Amino acid sequence: MRVAIVTESFLPHMNGVTGSVLQIMRHLERTGHDAHVIAPDAVGIPTSMHGASIEPVKSLALPGYRNVRVGTATTGRIAESLSRFCPDVVHLASPFALGWRGVLAAARLDLPAVAAYQTDVAAYAERYRVAATTNFAQNHILRLHRRATLTLAPSSESTQQLRALGVDRLRRWGRGVDAERFHPGARVEQWQRRSLDEVVVGYVGRLAAEKQVEDLRVLHGVPGVRLVVVGDGPARPRLTALMPDAVFLGHLDGHELATAMASFDVFVHPGESETFGQTLQEAHASGVPIVATGRGGPLDLIRMGVDGWLYRPGDLADLRMRVMDLAGDGRKRRAFGAAGRTAVEGRSWQAVCDQLLGHFEEARELQRVDRALRARRVLRPEPSQVGTARRWQRVVALGDSLTEGLCDPAPDGTLRGWADRLALLLSAGGGIHYANLAVRSRRVRDVRGEQLARARQLRPDLVSILIGANDLVRSHADVPALAAEVEEVVRVLRDDGADVLLVTPFLPDRRAAGLFAARFSAFAVHLAGIAERHGAIFLDTDLHPALASRPNWGEDLVHLGSRGHRFLAYRAGELLGVPHAETLGALDQVLHDVDATTKARWWREHALPWVWRRMRGRVAGDGRVAKHDGYVYIGRSSSMRGVEVG
């Protein structure tokens, strides 16, 4: 795989973003992938590293941080660099300024982009009390991450924050820790202690307003405690004046930083705007207990009463009390420290970067899905979690002609379809009782009415719903109202205790079908929300653009053919956790083929009869009833044992 990395920060300036990028570069080199880095230019920036080329672009110094550079390259400049490298995926490291140009360049070149959210810029702006800047930052974050194919959030709180802003396609991706460098063995007992009885409480990080280091002044006067601050930044002069008793060591790295971290007795972390908290992991790896604010990244890293304490955000008295608790109890410090070391041993950078490669592969798949969308969606197609196979015993299918199985004849002339084929897959585990209440030409109101009423009499434990196409192709379609009716059906069935498989209606890949694409996309977004609110199993057919291709459609060009019904059945089977459904689907495709139809035959047998029915105010389903209005048993025995129909 060829990975282009657009990063807001890089060497020689070392921080969390730079550290993560270096670890990713090392992993890509070890695993045989090619990398190319685009970073803000700075004096001392390397030209290559870990097998990757590094391309510096124009930058400006960040006010207050003379060593921090902000990339100012244009979108065209980034696009040129990407074009020369020809990446498979673009990784945006903590994107904001240069990352914005990077995501635009990736979109221009039709490349998947994975954005790693590492810096809560909006919270920083709020900390500096600039309301207009805060609003701009939030809107910019939304625009940027909505353009990325995937967004990686480092903690549960940052995931919630991004989701609240309207960012979709969120994945959790934390950070690794170098547990060999940061280790309890690096501890030096005499380090910064005036006596062996003195307890060193330490902080490591940038000295800036958003880090809230001034809150540590509350530790002044705690008996037997010495505060040591490691780091540098624009707030250092003010902090030294506020805390004259503290020891300020400036910036440390490498062996010196590992020694400092392991030599702390307690690590403190007062910042409330941390999306993750890499130094917390390093403290745990060093065997040091932690006292941190109960907000942001620390919520996922600190186990209360096990390896540290979380104090109430803004409550400095609580911060002081938590530090005093650990400072006065050496046995508790050792127990907390040992638990922290154990917790991080499974968070190696190798494991974390392997996860990242998986996210890259998923982004490439989702980019293909996005490329095939007929209309833009407010919320893009999102893969559902594949479930664990359950033993459903009563399965009912609701819907219209697609679920009835039109254009999918069995050898005996009866109709089957995707739902019937899915029932066969589900029966492999020991047999099921199955009813198909779908009838051609039916609409959402019919499912909410007669079909729902009959389904409730059958007391199913799994119900499939595929409905809405006949409503959406009408001259006037109220998409929210239709979705509300579907939601009522799902709500009733879920309240009855049934699992619900909710499937989005879809269109063939034909020019005329494009007239309705926006409606179908909007309806799919509504159905996704319904599934999330009610815990339904959601099959978003936009994730399977091959379904729209001509070979999957029948002779009338508006219904699935046998191949399409098989395709949909196996996708549903995968989602429901049917063992080997994907393999069975691939074998089935090899064994079948579908003949094409001529245009003349299509007009004669399908188009003109449809027009004639419409002129007479009729539909194909007039007078028809469901083919399986009651349960039939599908399994090794034909008996109907155990069936009770209400």
Side-chain angles (χ1 to χ4, degrees):
M1 190 187 310
R2 296 176 66 81
V3 180
I5 301 173
V6 180
T7 177
E8 297 289 341
S9 176
F10 198 63
L11 296 173
H13 179 66
M14 191 66 189
N15 58 16
V17 176
T18 302
S20 294
V21 170
L22 292 175
Q23 293 289 350
I24 294 168
M25 292 168 64
R26 292 189 188 103
H27 190 75
L28 292 173
E29 181 184 28
R30 284 195 302 264
T31 51
H33 301 285
D34 296 322
H36 175 68
V37 177
I38 301 172
D41 195 8
V43 176
I45 187 172
T47 57
S48 63
M49 201 173 188
H50 300 301
S53 58
I54 299 166
E55 185 169 349
V57 296
K58 289 182 179 180
S59 66
L60 294 173
L62 183 67
Y65 295 89
R66 53 191 175 87
N67 295 324
V68 180
R69 311 292 298 185
V70 178
T72 59
T74 65
T75 301
R77 173 72 176 80
I78 303 299
E80 289 175 7
S81 180
L82 295 177
S83 295
R84 287 193 299 270
F85 180 65
C86 297
D88 297 303
V89 64
V90 178
H91 178 68
L92 308 171
S94 193
F96 193 78
L98 191 61
W100 171 246
R101 305 300 198 287
V103 76
L104 293 178
R108 180 181 296 184
L109 300 175
D110 198 21
L111 294 170
V114 176
Y117 181 73
Q118 285 181 249
T119 306
D120 189 352
V121 179
Y124 287 3
E126 186 174 358
R127 175 64 55 183
Y128 285 101
R129 305 182 189 279
V130 185
T133 305
T134 302
N135 292 333
F136 166 78
Q138 290 178 336
N139 291 332
H140 184 67
I141 289 169
L142 174 59
R143 288 194 302 268
L144 191 156
H145 287 277
R146 284 281 299 172
R147 287 178 179 270
T149 313
L150 273 183
T151 289
L152 308 181
S155 66
S156 55
E157 184 161 308
S158 59
T159 300
Q160 294 168 5
Q161 290 172 349
L162 291 170
R163 184 172 288 120
L165 286 178
V167 178
D168 62 351
R169 285 191 181 162
L170 289 163
R171 304 288 185 273
R172 278 287 299 277
W173 183 65
R175 305 290 180 269
V177 61
D178 187 345
E180 293 182 3
R181 169 182 292 181
F182 295 97
H183 191 278
R187 181 179 176 87
V188 175
E189 289 295 339
Q190 291 288 349
W191 187 87
Q192 298 297 325
R193 289 173 178 80
R194 291 167 295 198
S195 70
L196 289 178
D197 294 334
E198 194 168 48
V199 174
V200 174
V201 176
Y203 165 84
V204 175
R206 191 167 65 252
L207 304 185
E210 67 273 7
K211 297 297 184 179
Q212 298 172 248
V213 184
E214 67 272 13
D215 289 354
L216 299 181
R217 69 186 185 277
V218 74
L219 301 180
H220 174 71
V222 175
V225 165
R226 190 175 205 196
L227 177 63
V228 176
V229 177
V230 176
D232 211 341
R236 183 172 177 176
R238 183 173 62 86
L239 292 171
T240 55
L242 278 175
M243 298 180 288
D245 296 336
V247 178
F248 287 82
L249 297 181
H251 176 76
L252 300 179
D253 57 19
H255 174 73
E256 287 185 321
L257 177 60
T259 298
M261 191 72 81
S263 300
F264 292 158
D265 294 300
V266 179
F267 182 85
V268 285
H269 182 86
E272 297 178 16
S273 56
E274 293 295 327
T275 59
F276 185 69
Q278 181 65 11
T279 55
L280 276 69
Q281 288 201 130
E282 293 166 354
H284 270 160
S286 303
V288 178
I290 298 172
V291 175
T293 183
R295 179 172 293 166
L299 291 171
D300 293 323
L301 298 177
I302 308 301
R303 295 172 295 172
M304 279 283 283
V306 177
D307 50 30
W309 292 121
L310 294 170
Y311 67 90
R312 291 182 295 274
D315 189 341
L316 301 189
D318 193 21
L319 165 60
R320 181 185 174 94
M321 181 187 71
R322 300 291 183 179
V323 170
M324 290 178 64
D325 174 74
L326 289 174
D329 192 335
R331 187 172 355 182
K332 183 182 290 186
R333 290 199 304 272
R334 289 189 291 273
F336 277 24
R341 172 68 189 184
T342 301
V344 301
E345 285 177 346
R347 301 181 200 155
S348 69
W349 272 109
Q350 179 174 340
V352 168
C353 289
D354 280 340
Q355 293 173 4
L356 182 62
L357 292 177
H359 291 311
F360 288 165
E361 291 292 353
E362 183 185 10
R364 296 175 70 183
E365 290 296 323
L366 289 174
Q367 180 71 4
R368 285 189 275 270
V369 169
D370 293 344
R371 192 181 298 125
L373 288 177
R374 307 288 294 278
R376 293 188 64 181
R377 288 175 45 164
V378 175
L379 294 176
R380 295 168 294 179
E382 181 74 272
S384 298
Q385 181 107 16
V386 175
T388 303
R390 283 191 51 191
R391 275 293 296 120
W392 291 290
Q393 296 182 332
R394 301 163 177 265
V395 180
V396 174
L398 309 181
D400 53 23
S401 54
L402 284 168
T403 303
E404 183 186 352
L406 210 62
C407 295
D408 185 16
D412 62 0
T414 60
L415 293 176
R416 54 192 169 184
W418 74 273
D420 299 351
R421 294 173 182 273
L422 176 61
L424 287 171
L425 290 175
L426 295 173
S427 71
I432 63 170
H433 297 94
Y434 170 67
N436 189 330
L437 307 182
V439 178
R440 66 195 67 178
S441 304
R442 293 302 188 256
R443 295 163 58 186
V444 168
R445 68 188 183 195
D446 300 305
V447 168
R448 186 184 178 190
E450 59 189 27
Q451 291 189 23
L452 175 60
R454 179 56 181 153
R456 299 187 73 189
Q457 292 174 349
L458 295 172
R459 292 180 295 168
D461 50 22
L462 175 64
V463 180
S464 68
I465 304 174
L466 172 51
I467 195 64
N470 292 321
D471 299 270
L472 295 171
V473 298
R474 298 177 72 85
S475 58
H476 299 287
D478 188 338
V479 173
L482 292 170
E485 289 192 78
V486 173
E487 181 158 18
E488 178 64 15
V489 175
V490 174
R491 184 194 64 78
V492 169
L493 292 170
R494 293 292 289 145
D495 287 348
D496 287 347
D499 289 325
V500 175
L501 171 63
L502 188 59
V503 185
T504 60
F506 43 87
L507 290 164
D509 187 10
R510 295 175 55 207
R511 183 177 300 177
L515 296 172
F516 308 105
R519 292 181 185 177
F520 276 69
S521 293
F523 192 60
V525 172
H526 280 286
L527 294 189
I530 292 169
E532 183 175 1
R533 286 191 292 274
H534 298 281
I537 304 162
F538 184 56
L539 176 51
D540 191 336
T541 55
D542 276 343
L543 288 168
H544 306 287
L547 186 62
S549 63
R550 173 65 189 92
N552 284 324
W553 293 76
E555 292 183 348
D556 64 359
L557 304 182
V558 295
H559 293 92
L560 290 179
S562 296
R563 178 173 174 175
H565 281 286
R566 290 196 304 273
F567 182 93
L568 185 57
Y570 286 115
R571 301 296 80 75
E574 290 170 15
L575 195 57
L576 294 175
V578 173
H580 313 300
E582 184 175 3
T583 302
L584 289 170
L587 291 172
D588 206 354
Q589 183 173 342
V590 172
L591 296 173
H592 293 83
D593 195 9
V594 179
D595 294 329
T597 184
T598 64
K599 288 186 178 180
R601 184 179 176 187
W602 177 75
W603 276 102
R604 182 176 66 253
E605 297 184 5
H606 302 288
L608 293 177
W610 180 86
V611 172
W612 179 244
R613 285 195 301 271
R614 292 292 173 176
M615 291 175 62
R616 299 168 62 194
R618 301 183 60 187
V619 295
D622 287 345
R624 299 188 70 89
V625 296
K627 59 182 178 181
H628 297 310
D629 185 65
Y631 282 127
V632 295
Y633 181 77
I634 304 176
R636 296 178 182 176
S637 170
S638 60
S639 68
M640 295 287 287
R641 57 183 178 275
V643 177
E644 297 178 5
V645 178

